[in-house]
Amino acid sequence: ESGYEVVSAGLVELAEYVEENTESSAVFMTATNHNNAIAMLTGRSIVCGSPSFLYYHGLDYTQRENDLRLAYEQPQSHISRMIDAYGADYVLISSWEQGSYAVDEEWFEENCECVFENPACRLYKLEN
């Protein structure tokens, strides 16, 4: 064993919650890491996965990546685009998102319902 951990126990717990408590058609805002727990463990859709996979086959994720960053960093003026353009239902905040964006966590806490929380992450429901 190398000791390498693909997904933390906290994110596995989140995945179990997602499978049991969200629609299979639900869409999640997450970071774009290639080992994304939501996409890997639940089969749910995410707004934007790792752009490295399909970029070299002509799929340009630049707009989605920019929209995702703005929604995490300036949600008060950009979260509606995530809902309207991409059908986002939930927002994940874990170390991946915190490491990728300057997440306005206070806005999410004040304006969204936290439906799951553990030491590894928080999952917020977006109101459509």
Side-chain angles (χ1 to χ4, degrees), residues 22-43:
T22 68
E23 296 293 324
S24 60
S25 60
V27 177
F28 293 76
M29 278 179 50
T30 69
T32 62
N33 52 305
H34 73 282
N35 56 341
N36 185 290
I38 296 292
M40 270 190 344
L41 301 177
T42 72

Side-chain angles (χ1 to χ4, degrees), residues 20-82:
E20 295 172 7
N21 296 282
T22 68
E23 296 293 324
S24 60
S25 60
V27 177
F28 293 76
M29 278 179 50
T30 69
T32 62
N33 52 305
H34 73 282
N35 56 341
N36 185 290
I38 296 292
M40 270 190 344
L41 301 177
T42 72
R44 302 299 194 273
S45 294
I46 58 176
V47 170
C48 184
S50 175
S52 63
F53 290 128
L54 297 176
Y55 177 81
Y56 297 103
H57 296 282
L59 185 58
D60 185 1
Y61 283 168
T62 304
Q63 184 65 52
R64 280 185 185 248
E65 287 179 296
N66 290 337
D67 289 344
L68 190 61
R69 175 175 301 286
L70 288 170
Y72 272 111
E73 296 181 355
Q74 301 169 27
Q76 68 283 358
S77 54
H78 295 284
I79 203 72
S80 61
R81 174 147 173 80
M82 300 312 291

Side-chain angles (χ1 to χ4, degrees), residues 112-126:
C112 300
E113 176 188 2
C114 183
V115 295
F116 178 86
E117 181 174 10
N118 70 19
C121 63
R122 285 178 310 287
L123 183 67
Y124 293 95
K125 173 95 172 102
L126 294 174

Side-chain angles (χ1 to χ4, degrees), residues 13-14 17-18 21-22 28 89-94 98 104-127:
E13 183 183 357
L14 166 70
Y17 171 86
V18 166
N21 296 282
T22 68
F28 293 76
D89 299 298
Y90 295 91
V91 175
L92 176 60
I93 300 177
S94 72
Q98 292 165 327
D104 186 347
E105 294 183 54
E106 186 175 311
W107 187 91
F108 289 105
E109 289 174 20
E110 293 174 0
N111 294 281
C112 300
E113 176 188 2
C114 183
V115 295
F116 178 86
E117 181 174 10
N118 70 19
C121 63
R122 285 178 310 287
L123 183 67
Y124 293 95
K125 173 95 172 102
L126 294 174
E127 295 301 320

